[in-house]
Amino acid sequence: MVLTVLMNAGPWLSVPPPGYGGIENVVATLVPELRRLGVRVVLASVASSTLPVDDRLSVFADGQFAALQRPYNQVCGVAQAHLNGVVRALRERDDIDLVHDHVEAVGLATLTAMGRDAPPVLHTLHWDLGKHPDLYGYVDGANRVRVNGVSAAQLARAPQALRAHSVGHVHLATPLATTERKSPVEPGDHVVILGRITPGKGQHVGAQLAHRAGFRLVLAGPVGPYHRPTELSAAGDAARHNPDVRYWYEQVAPLVDGVRVRWVGTVAGRDRDELVASARASLFPLCWEEPGGTAVVESLALGTPVVATARGCLPELIEHGRTGLLAGAADELPELVHTANRIEGNECRQEAVRRFTPRVMAERYLELYDDVRRLAG
Ligand code: UDP
């Protein structure tokens, strides 16, 4: 029997995402491989998504990423409008065997509230749940709704009510681990931090260290909904109600001198890959418990050693001394950056090819889909 999965990627960005995109990247990596394994996929996303699927549904024409800067209740309103479309579709059609949901809190709440009207649901947790103990309390008693983490460390921090409904964890993956590597890029002398510019990712720590220890640092990623330095400055003071924009102005921008520390905005496609592949190291000076770390496994796939604080999923993804260097505290990072060349790029690449391919991730999700359907009875 062919399994039909409704993959709910949410309303924030198209799939694949135009540049930055956490959840949307995960979906874009997973879906093609599931389909190769014989699964029918119905994608719930925005109408501008171009990912090939068997069927699709959407409420919004385009990604609602900019709405994420509004107050939290309005953000939930956008997520809810999208979910209402999903619920309508689930009530109208009878071909969905399982919903694989990726919409933080609202997705889980809405699908749980459907009770026996909903097919079995697997909700993938993407965030650090130690910070949101209350958000997920309501899964109590829902036998048709299960959750999975993106690392063991993330699940260990989740509230007990949520852990009781967990079917395990699945590490993130990257298509870069399967694509043929192009001719080696010219090595640069820079260190890169790739990711959303936000306090948890610790760009301010990285920038301080770059000045103190004398290495060149490139910051790549959006600040709130702003992808380019020009967009951010055009937005003016009105943008400052976004916490990541405030973080940028207060803690990062004063350290960005355009020479020692540069911000290049969001990078995509080949530019992103070359920026990371040519770096001496990918730096993760984390100030939170990193839940999944797509950028970590991407760096390994591109043959670039990871230098990071040993927080969240990092010790699960990186073997200290072989595929990267892990620090107990931020002040150990400069020494590790300077000695990152003792890590073999090829060893990093092989680790990604072995552990972080879309195939490895999709096969693990198929196991979890079986578990979820069995537990739903
Ligand atoms: N990313 C990108 N361009 C950027 C910054 C990030 O394409 O300028 C991508 C990055 O390669 C990764 C994703 O966005 O695939 C971020 O995922 P990660 O798990 O590292 O961070 P989070 O989901 O917490 O934002």
Side-chain angles (χ1 to χ4, degrees):
M1 188 196 99
V2 176
L3 185 74
T4 300
V5 172
L6 187 145
M7 187 72 62
N8 185 21
W12 307 119
L13 291 165
S14 49
V15 184
Y20 165 78
I23 287 167
E24 297 77 7
N25 253 321
V26 175
V27 171
T29 300
L30 175 62
V31 165
E33 207 55 44
L34 284 175
R35 294 180 77 222
R36 269 191 281 275
L37 290 167
V39 176
R40 256 187 97 236
V41 176
V42 179
L43 178 68
S45 171
V46 291
S48 52
S49 287
T50 55
L51 186 75
V53 285
D54 299 285
D55 197 358
R56 54 184 80 240
L57 60 101
S58 54
V59 169
F60 295 100
D62 288 309
Q64 301 298 300
F65 194 64
L68 288 171
Q69 65 175 319
R70 298 194 200 134
Y72 190 67
N73 61 341
Q74 291 181 32
V75 171
C76 288
V78 173
Q80 192 63 64
H82 169 86
L83 257 305
N84 291 344
V86 172
V87 168
R88 253 194 319 278
L90 288 174
R91 292 215 161 104
E92 278 163 14
R93 54 198 296 172
D94 61 1
D95 62 329
I96 307 295
D97 298 306
L98 178 130
V99 179
H100 187 171
D101 176 57
H102 299 266
V103 180
E104 183 197 352
V106 178
L108 190 57
T110 306
L111 294 162
T112 300
M114 281 188 81
R116 297 200 72 81
D117 283 353
V121 175
L122 177 64
H123 173 90
T124 297
L125 304 163
H126 287 277
W127 297 95
D128 171 25
L129 299 157
K131 293 209 318 207
H132 304 289
D134 318 327
L135 274 185
Y136 288 91
Y138 40 67
V139 282
D140 265 342
N143 284 329
R144 301 180 72 77
V145 180
R146 302 282 158 178
V147 301
N148 78 278
V150 290
S151 67
Q154 179 206 31
L155 277 180
R157 281 168 60 79
Q160 172 53 31
L162 205 52
R163 263 185 288 137
H165 290 84
S166 159
V167 285
H169 70 271
V170 186
H171 285 143
L172 297 171
T174 172
L176 295 171
T178 46
T179 43
E180 206 56 40
R181 279 186 84 187
K182 290 159 233 115
S183 46
V185 288
E186 205 53 43
D189 73 340
H190 64 280
V191 170
V192 64
I193 302 181
L194 179 75
R196 275 178 298 134
I197 302 209
T198 189
K201 304 271 182 191
Q203 280 90 356
H204 65 297
V205 176
Q208 283 159 7
L209 295 176
H211 285 290
R212 193 149 13 104
F215 58 84
R216 282 207 314 119
L217 178 66
V218 178
L219 306 175
V223 173
Y226 304 102
H227 293 282
R228 317 243 146 278
T230 45
E231 269 175 40
L232 179 61
S233 40
D237 275 352
R240 288 192 190 231
H241 63 83
N242 178 300
D244 289 341
V245 172
R246 272 204 306 283
Y247 166 64
W248 166 259
Y249 280 117
E250 287 165 16
Q251 295 193 59
V252 188
L255 301 166
V256 175
D257 60 359
V259 183
R260 182 71 76 197
V261 181
R262 290 192 299 137
W263 176 43
V264 295
T266 298
V267 288
R270 190 192 286 245
D271 289 343
R272 179 197 68 174
D273 298 351
E274 287 188 2
L275 178 67
V276 175
S278 63
R280 280 161 54 191
S282 281
L283 182 61
F284 296 87
L286 300 170
C287 298
W288 75 334
E289 305 308 319
E290 178 70 31
T294 307
V296 175
V297 299
E298 288 167 348
S299 182
L300 293 180
L302 290 164
T304 301
V306 167
V307 174
T309 26
R311 296 187 65 165
C313 64
L314 266 293
E316 290 169 51
L317 306 182
I318 299 299
E319 187 181 324
H320 179 74
R322 188 169 68 83
T323 56
L325 298 171
L326 297 180
D331 58 6
E332 296 165 23
L333 288 170
E335 169 66 17
L336 301 188
V337 167
H338 285 302
T339 55
N341 58 1
R342 70 187 161 100
I343 303 295
E344 291 268 346
N346 207 34
E347 194 73 39
C348 300
R349 167 80 186 164
Q350 287 316 314
E351 184 78 346
V353 169
R354 200 169 61 78
R355 293 179 61 202
F356 304 121
T357 60
R359 175 56 65 108
V360 168
M361 178 166 72
E363 285 177 345
R364 178 86 179 109
Y365 270 114
L366 281 186
E367 288 172 10
L368 297 197
Y369 294 167
D370 273 352
D371 290 347
V372 171
R373 295 179 71 216
R374 193 173 31 77
L375 289 163

